[in-house]
């Protein structure tokens, strides 16, 4: 049955990983099969599917460094096509993941992209992004100035 996972398209792989992680179904063979199939098909994944995939894998207890690395390498140059929720999910995922899964280059590129999107992030997203960067010890004055301004704008409205 696990070999049938190879037949799933990118959306199916992303949705399957999300469903299992949300249910707390932490089966190593299933997630290995999803990761293997996803890495082979990574060029087919849309930004939202990549974000959902790493969010799912960040919630389980098994390390999948190669999957996080592959998503990071495929996503860094494509961030303009990511929606605000996708960027938020990527930041949270890489922050929640084990230290071996972190990709500072990707997080820097996401920070640079976020500051180009005024008023596109909810207060909850801003808080999550600030927490994630602080949790990683990533000091990005431009990002934190942006978050500060956005928070003040929300308070004023």
């Amino acid at each position: 049955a696990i070999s049938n996972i190879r037949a799933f398209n990118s959306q199916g792989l992303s949705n399957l990983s999300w469903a299992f992680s949300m249910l707390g179904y932490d089966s190593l063979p299933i997630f290995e099969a999803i990761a293997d199939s996803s890495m082979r098909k990574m060029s087919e994944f849309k930004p939202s599917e990549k974000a959902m995939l790493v969010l799912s894998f960040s919630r389980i207890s098994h390390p999948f460094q190669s999957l996080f690395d592959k998503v990071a390498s495929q996503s860094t140059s494509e961030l303009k096509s990511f929606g605000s929720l996708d960027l938020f999910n990527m930041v949270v995922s890489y922050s929640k993941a084990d230290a071996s899964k972190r990709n500072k280059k990707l997080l820097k590129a996401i920070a640079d992209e976020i500051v180009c999107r005024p008023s596109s992030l909810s207060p909850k997203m801003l808080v999550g992004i600030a927490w994630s960067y602080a949790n990683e010890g990533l000091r990005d004055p431009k990002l934190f100035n942006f978050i500060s301004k956005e928070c003040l704008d929300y308070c004023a409205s």
Side-chain angles (χ1 to χ4, degrees):
I2 290 177
S3 63
N4 292 337
I5 288 176
R6 291 187 184 112
F8 282 50
N9 65 16
S10 58
Q11 182 180 5
L13 292 164
S14 177
N15 290 347
L16 186 62
S17 67
W18 180 84
F20 283 139
S21 73
M22 290 301 292
L23 292 171
Y25 188 73
D26 200 357
S27 167
L28 182 58
I30 291 289
F31 279 97
E32 283 177 337
I34 293 170
D36 180 59
S37 188
S38 296
M39 286 190 289
R40 278 194 257 112
K41 298 178 179 185
M42 190 57 59
S43 64
E44 300 170 19
F45 277 70
K46 296 175 185 168
S48 60
E49 294 165 349
K50 290 177 186 176
M52 185 67 66
L53 186 69
V54 293
L55 182 62
S56 302
F57 275 81
S58 74
R59 292 178 171 164
I60 64 171
S61 61
H62 308 293
F64 284 92
Q65 180 179 355
S66 57
L67 177 68
F68 279 81
D69 291 347
K70 181 80 169 188
V71 171
S73 70
Q74 293 275 324
S75 301
T76 303
S77 64
E78 304 172 347
L79 293 175
K80 290 198 181 314
S81 64
F82 279 63
S84 295
L85 179 60
D86 302 330
L87 293 174
F88 169 76
N89 284 337
M90 294 285 281
V91 168
V92 170
S93 300
Y94 278 83
S95 177
K96 286 175 63 176
D98 187 19
S100 64
K101 299 175 196 165
R102 296 181 187 139
N103 185 297
K104 306 274 191 244
K105 181 180 176 185
L106 173 67
L107 293 174
K108 174 62 176 140
I110 291 173
D112 291 344
E113 182 61 29
I114 287 171
V115 300
C116 296
R117 299 183 182 202
S119 304
S120 68
L121 299 160
S122 70
K124 180 181 177 182
M125 289 178 178
L126 292 169
V127 169
I129 290 167
W131 178 88
S132 296
Y133 279 81
N135 187 50
E136 292 298 309
L138 295 175
R139 299 178 190 274
D140 190 312
K142 190 174 171 183
L143 175 65
F144 280 90
N145 287 335
F146 171 82
I147 291 172
S148 297
K149 181 189 176 311
E150 290 290 300
C151 289
L152 289 171
D153 289 349
Y154 277 114
C155 291
S157 61

